[in-house]
Amino acid sequence: MCGLAGLAVIGGVLDATADTLIERMGRAVAHRGPDAYQTLRCGPVALGFRRLALVGPSSGDQPLFSEDENVTLIANGEVYNHRELERGFGGQLRLRTQSDCEILAHLYARDGLRFLDEANGMYAVALWDRRANRLVLGRDRFGVKPLYYTRVGDTVLFASEIKALFEHPGCRRDVDWAGALADQSMNIAPYLTDEPVTTWFKDIHLVPAGSLVTIDLGTGRVEEHSYWRLPDFAGGLDLSDAEFTDAYRDLLADSVRACSTADAELGLFLSGGIDSAAVAALSARQGTNLHTFTVMNGSTLANGDAESAHRIAADLGLPNHQVLFDQAAVPEAEQWKHLLWLLETPLCGAEQYYKYELYRYAKQVRPELRGMLLGAGSDEYNGGFSTIMSLTPDWSGFEAGILQMARTSAVHRDPAMGSWWESPEGPLLTDRMLPTLPEDPYPQFVAWRHRLLQQYNCWHEDRTAAGNGVESRVPFLDHRLVELLSGIPAARRENLLWQKKILRDAVAHVLPPSIAQRPKGPFFYGEGVGFTHSAFVRMLDAGHQSLLEEALASPGAKDVLRPDALRSMLRRLKTESEPWDVEYMLRLVNLGLLDTMARSLPVVPLEAPAYSIRHAVPVEDWERDAPDVTTWLTAGVDAPGTDQVLEFSETAELVFAAQESDLMYIAVDGAFEYVVNAADDPVWSTFIRQVDGKRTVGEVLRTCGCSFESVQDNLRVLMSEGVLRAGVTA
């Protein structure tokens, strides 16, 4: 994992004034490569390279060159089959370094624009073909490694992260509000799309996954060449179920072996699900000694992920760090903006915060750690969403679910027909009136997930790791695995893809049945998701709602966002025990913050202030230590004991909307901040009416006839906000 930066001039030669700019651009991505820094200016091109050394640490600095030095290359990532590619030269190749990426320069010199056809790995590449005076930018098949470019007059800028492009004073820095708000990953509209990935900023381009972008430095002509496309998942391989499973097992084991190869320490994020468990088991079986890291918060405790991760690590004999995010774990405003600027995407949310903090903890306890194995990229291609999107608990229910999305997509493309499908009685027309509705929606579904993987997963997995000088490695994103899965005939999908059966059967020999067959549960979702959502409501509400107000004040937001509506939304979210809409709202806030930061650049990530690092809780025996885990999680914002008197603070009071009304309000400093609706939550409504500063919590509970567990979450929220407080113990 490294940081790339560069510029090229069309129809001219760069002079020494380019050195200052390439230095600033390299500094903007310095967090990606703390081990070495090189620059090169030659003719029309200047290159900056920040290195994180995982392979050949003593001999792998860049730029890299072909034998005749007509090809100059910098690359970010890993070429896993570089030894095999080297053998293809028949012993006639003399490599100058131990870098796995050097082979790419020689492949280009031999094969031209087909130089990535046989490369297996994750990489972003920028090379200058001196003879053709051509700049070539390329990315791996899944877009694991990023590479952006733009043009300012006759200057082409390119870099691993957008912030480096912004170092050029002439680079446009405008958030693309219209494009962002219309993007399906942003608005979560229920339709399928495989449109190009957006960069969120106007005139900033992302080299497409599996593609090359060539720029003629004599004429400025730009061309795009695709060397790999996602297969159509229409089937076609004549294999039995057992043969598919065996082939999947062998390919996955080989991919894990390749991703586990490094001359530096590796770790693994262990979520408790089958994906990361499979990577852990296969890697351990191959002799890799991994420290594993798990998010421990109210959500992962309630949905069983934390416990499952502990048991997986114990079974495999791997150290497991349960990194604690207690109820008080809310990012400070400046801390959130630092993370958002690092990621450069409005999709930044709870998942990214947790993972970024996991990396920070991991680097603290394992300073030599350079790479992290992940289970990401499994669900998209092997049936991982079959149960989540199913209308009934079987494969036919999943097919019905994605057909429904495909129908919505067809209506989305032809909105004039939409009203005929919106009747309370259901669609009034047959699907024959939707000419773009596919007979088999599964390939379209996978293409949509493939697009979302690039827009969301690959983007944030790269940045949260890179922000800590770590390289994320993703064994499931091996094109051989995906090509195999694409060959499963439609009639056999149920046997192999329902509940990810092909993966579960493939790793059954290395995992206990309780883990191999554990149902899928999305990270921190399911039972207990309210713990996470409530924490981010508190973040938005903190400091007189400073993040929201800063976002609303951004130049672009003034023309797009309705302040009163967003403030009202936040007030509503504060009253809900499971405020789902905070994810939706946070994306709009993020856009406003990015708008402001792009116009007035923050310090580069390497110079951002340090914040306190999370700590892990010691769990050796789950049954024995589980009570302590609960105590650690609630230590930050304790609910009062049942023997304590409960009262409103001096600045808060309960206000009734009207006599006999179901509505009440909690006013703070004279402003209505919380809504209590008996129709939505009768237990909480009854309880809060009885709080008078005289009776204990236990007495109020007995009066209401409700349990402490039924109100404790709301109590913690209001106590953390200083609205309620515990008085003397009775």
Side-chain angles (χ1 to χ4, degrees), residues 636-658:
V637 241
D638 282 335
T642 56
D643 59 346
Q644 288 183 292
V645 172
L646 191 64
E647 62 185 2
F648 284 95
S649 67
E650 294 90 343
T651 59
E653 63 177 328
L654 189 64
V655 180
F656 295 88

Side-chain angles (χ1 to χ4, degrees), residues 365-665:
V365 299
R366 308 296 302 173
E368 299 305 312
L369 186 143
R370 289 289 189 275
M372 192 72 72
L373 296 174
L374 307 175
S378 168
D379 288 329
E380 283 71 15
Y381 312 104
N382 64 13
F385 297 100
S386 58
T387 54
I388 294 174
M389 305 195 68
S390 183
L391 301 182
T392 57
D394 52 26
W395 184 261
S396 62
F398 170 62
E399 290 182 322
I402 62 175
L403 177 61
Q404 189 176 82
M405 285 194 72
R407 186 180 295 115
T408 303
S409 305
V411 172
H412 176 75
R413 287 188 289 271
D414 189 4
M417 300 291 288
S419 61
W420 303 111
W421 271 264
E422 296 172 357
S423 166
E425 289 74 28
L428 301 178
L429 306 180
T430 68
D431 287 344
R432 292 185 62 185
M433 294 304 298
L434 296 173
T436 60
L437 183 68
E439 182 177 342
D440 177 10
Y442 186 72
Q444 189 180 28
F445 168 78
V446 177
W448 167 59
R449 295 304 315 185
H450 178 71
R451 189 263 181 184
L452 193 56
L453 177 91
Q454 298 171 60
Q455 184 73 76
Y456 179 72
N457 303 81
C458 288
W459 189 313
H460 78 74
E461 298 288 11
D462 171 82
R463 299 302 178 82
T464 51
N468 292 282
V470 178
E471 176 177 88
S472 59
R473 292 189 169 185
V474 279
F476 284 104
L477 293 185
D478 186 310
H479 69 280
R480 300 171 301 167
L481 275 171
V482 173
E483 289 165 357
L484 173 70
L485 292 167
S486 74
I488 298 175
R492 309 268 294 290
R493 291 173 188 154
E494 180 175 4
N495 294 348
L496 293 165
L497 300 179
W498 175 247
Q499 297 184 341
K500 299 198 287 193
K501 190 173 188 300
I502 190 170
L503 170 60
R504 297 180 190 280
D505 289 351
V507 297
H509 65 298
V510 293
L511 286 173
S514 61
I515 300 301
Q517 301 305 321
R518 182 172 182 256
K520 174 179 172 55
F523 177 42
F524 75 74
Y525 286 96
E527 183 182 356
V529 67
F531 288 99
T532 293
H533 286 155
S534 295
F536 280 81
V537 171
R538 293 199 300 274
M539 179 187 78
L540 290 176
D541 192 51
H544 301 289
Q545 303 176 356
S546 62
L547 286 175
L548 173 59
E549 295 304 320
E550 183 174 344
L552 292 173
S554 70
K558 291 179 180 179
D559 296 326
V560 176
L561 302 180
R562 293 184 56 224
D564 290 348
L566 284 166
R567 291 172 184 136
S568 176
M569 188 178 194
L570 182 54
R571 286 195 296 271
R572 170 174 62 82
L573 294 175
K574 289 165 58 178
T575 71
E576 298 175 353
S577 57
E578 290 200 356
W580 278 92
D581 284 347
V582 69
E583 296 188 11
Y584 203 59
M585 179 180 185
L586 187 55
R587 292 170 185 173
L588 295 178
V589 172
N590 286 342
L591 268 182
L593 295 173
L594 285 171
D595 190 17
T596 296
M597 289 189 285
R599 295 167 190 265
S600 180
L601 299 181
V603 296
V604 298
L606 193 67
E607 299 171 2
Y611 295 92
S612 60
I613 293 176
R614 312 304 307 172
H615 66 276
V617 294
V619 182
E620 297 179 1
D621 179 274
W622 192 268
E623 281 77 14
R624 185 194 67 198
D625 297 335
D628 289 336
V629 169
T630 303
T631 299
W632 290 319
L633 283 173
T634 59
V637 241
D638 282 335
T642 56
D643 59 346
Q644 288 183 292
V645 172
L646 191 64
E647 62 185 2
F648 284 95
S649 67
E650 294 90 343
T651 59
E653 63 177 328
L654 189 64
V655 180
F656 295 88
Q659 193 172 9
E660 305 300 326
S661 172
D662 285 341
L663 286 178
M664 294 178 289
Y665 302 96

Side-chain angles (χ1 to χ4, degrees), residues 204-255:
I204 302 297
H205 308 289
L206 178 63
V207 176
S211 298
L212 304 173
V213 172
T214 63
I215 304 173
D216 187 315
L217 297 182
T219 66
R221 180 180 176 84
V222 179
E223 295 182 336
E224 190 175 303
H225 309 260
S226 175
Y227 69 91
W228 188 86
R229 295 184 185 276
L230 180 73
D232 62 8
F233 277 76
L237 290 180
D238 185 19
L239 300 176
S240 68
D241 291 354
E243 288 171 329
F244 268 115
T245 302
D246 289 345
Y248 188 95
R249 176 186 299 115
D250 293 343
L251 288 174
L252 180 59
D254 187 61
S255 183

Side-chain angles (χ1 to χ4, degrees), residues 26-304:
R27 185 70 175 166
V29 293
H31 54 283
R32 300 182 65 89
D35 294 333
Y37 176 51
Q38 288 83 35
T39 61
L40 172 71
R41 176 170 52 84
C42 185
V45 174
L47 304 174
F49 177 73
R50 292 277 181 171
R51 186 184 185 206
L52 178 74
L54 279 89
V55 176
S58 62
S59 175
D61 290 343
Q62 300 186 28
L64 303 164
F65 302 92
S66 60
E67 285 193 277
D68 61 7
E69 297 196 355
N70 279 318
V71 177
T72 304
L73 176 146
I74 54 176
N76 165 30
E78 308 290 337
V79 180
Y80 296 129
N81 63 336
H82 62 105
R83 296 300 183 199
E84 176 187 338
L85 295 171
E86 181 184 348
R87 288 193 293 271
F89 284 83
Q92 301 303 306
L93 187 62
R94 293 174 298 177
L95 296 176
R96 303 180 187 184
T97 75
Q98 297 176 12
S99 169
D100 56 288
C101 291
E102 184 184 348
I103 191 67
L104 298 180
H106 301 285
L107 286 170
Y108 179 86
R110 187 188 71 183
D111 302 334
L113 295 180
R114 301 191 63 181
F115 75 114
L116 296 179
D117 286 6
E118 302 301 322
N120 183 17
M122 52 177 192
Y123 41 77
V125 176
L127 70 82
W128 175 41
D129 180 341
R130 183 194 303 260
R131 184 171 290 138
N133 196 24
R134 178 169 62 185
L135 180 68
V136 180
L137 309 175
R139 289 175 75 216
D140 62 77
R141 293 167 177 82
F142 296 92
V144 177
K145 292 302 170 191
L147 188 58
Y148 303 88
Y149 69 100
T150 191
R151 183 167 170 174
V152 180
D154 290 333
T155 301
V156 177
L157 307 170
F158 54 92
S160 297
E161 298 183 13
I162 299 169
K163 58 180 66 67
L165 307 180
F166 288 163
E167 291 295 330
H168 189 294
C171 182
R172 191 173 184 181
R173 301 180 190 173
D174 298 321
V175 166
D176 181 8
W177 282 88
L181 296 172
D183 193 88
Q184 194 272 339
S185 66
M186 182 79 169
N187 59 40
I188 326 178
Y191 64 86
L192 308 174
T193 178
D194 61 352
E195 63 189 11
V197 173
T198 181
T199 66
W200 312 112
F201 292 93
K202 293 180 179 179
D203 295 340
I204 302 297
H205 308 289
L206 178 63
V207 176
S211 298
L212 304 173
V213 172
T214 63
I215 304 173
D216 187 315
L217 297 182
T219 66
R221 180 180 176 84
V222 179
E223 295 182 336
E224 190 175 303
H225 309 260
S226 175
Y227 69 91
W228 188 86
R229 295 184 185 276
L230 180 73
D232 62 8
F233 277 76
L237 290 180
D238 185 19
L239 300 176
S240 68
D241 291 354
E243 288 171 329
F244 268 115
T245 302
D246 289 345
Y248 188 95
R249 176 186 299 115
D250 293 343
L251 288 174
L252 180 59
D254 187 61
S255 183
V256 171
R257 177 201 55 76
C259 291
S260 301
T261 301
D263 298 321
E265 182 180 347
L266 303 177
L268 182 140
F269 279 179
L270 191 58
S271 70
I274 182 65
D275 303 326
S276 58
V279 175
L282 291 171
S283 185
R285 190 181 181 89
Q286 295 165 0
T288 307
N289 184 22
L290 301 170
H291 278 253
T292 65
F293 305 88
T294 301
V295 169
M296 164 66 79
N297 69 0
S299 299
T300 61
L301 179 65
N303 69 17

